[in-house]
């Protein structure tokens, strides 16, 4: 559904509570909810949604070993999850 700037972080074997984190940008609040709906329909048979924290600017989806963040570009820039997750990934790979 045309999420933008999708990044996947492999944190398996590291100090983070999820093995993988996916970050994607939406085009805006309505698109954020549309992307969530698309994931629910597309992943429902294969993945169990353990928890979903919804706001128009940021949706976090806990699939157990995978954590998905869908953010508006403004929130993505403001919270800069990529830097945080890159540091965790670098520590994991330095071991």
């Amino acid at each position: 559904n045309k999420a933008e700037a999708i990044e996947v972080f492999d944190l398996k074997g590291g100090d983070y509570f999820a093995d993988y984190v996916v970050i994607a940008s939406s085009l805006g609040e309505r698109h954020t909810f549309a992307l969530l709906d698309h994931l629910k329909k597309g992943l429902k048979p294969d993945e169990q949604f353990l928890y979903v924290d919804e706001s128009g600017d940021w949706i976090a989806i806990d699939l157990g070993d995978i954590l998905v963040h869908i953010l508006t570009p403004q929130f993505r820039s403001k919270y800069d999850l990529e830097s945080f997750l890159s540091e965790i990934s670098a520590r994991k790979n330095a071991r």
Side-chain angles (χ1 to χ4, degrees), residues 59-95:
I59 292 178
I61 306 163
D62 182 356
L63 301 171
D65 56 345
I66 302 169
L67 189 61
V68 179
H69 295 278
I70 305 169
L71 302 98
T72 60
Q74 297 83 0
F75 265 57
R76 188 168 178 172
S77 176
K78 179 178 179 179
Y79 290 100
D80 190 23
L81 295 175
E82 289 88 346
S83 293
F84 168 72
L85 294 169
S86 292
E87 288 178 26
I88 293 172
S89 181
R91 281 194 306 248
K92 176 193 88 147
N93 293 331
R95 291 183 193 175

